[in-house]
Amino acid sequence: MTAIFTVPDMTCGHCEKTVRGALAEALPGAAVAIDLTAKRVVIEGDAAKAEEAIREAGYSPERAAV
């Protein structure tokens, strides 16, 4: 399942690395695409786990329409 999130407080490369690392830990092997300019994260996997991982990393994900 594809999950798309807007993460408005993801503002720099360090933020991107933190979010990517949190998702890799929560959903190993899942495909993750991050567009820092659009503040968008697309992940193939469990949307609820992905959202929780992003929140635990300190960010505020908002689900976007697929």
Side-chain angles (χ1 to χ4, degrees), residues 15-60:
C15 296
E16 178 182 349
K17 183 178 177 182
T18 300
V19 169
R20 190 177 296 278
L23 291 169
E25 187 175 315
L27 298 163
V32 176
I34 297 178
D35 180 342
L36 185 57
T37 304
K39 300 179 187 278
R40 185 172 297 255
V41 176
V42 179
I43 184 163
E44 294 295 328
D46 185 317
K49 281 186 180 179
E51 184 173 359
E52 182 180 344
I54 296 169
R55 285 192 191 287
E56 287 181 3
Y59 298 91
S60 305

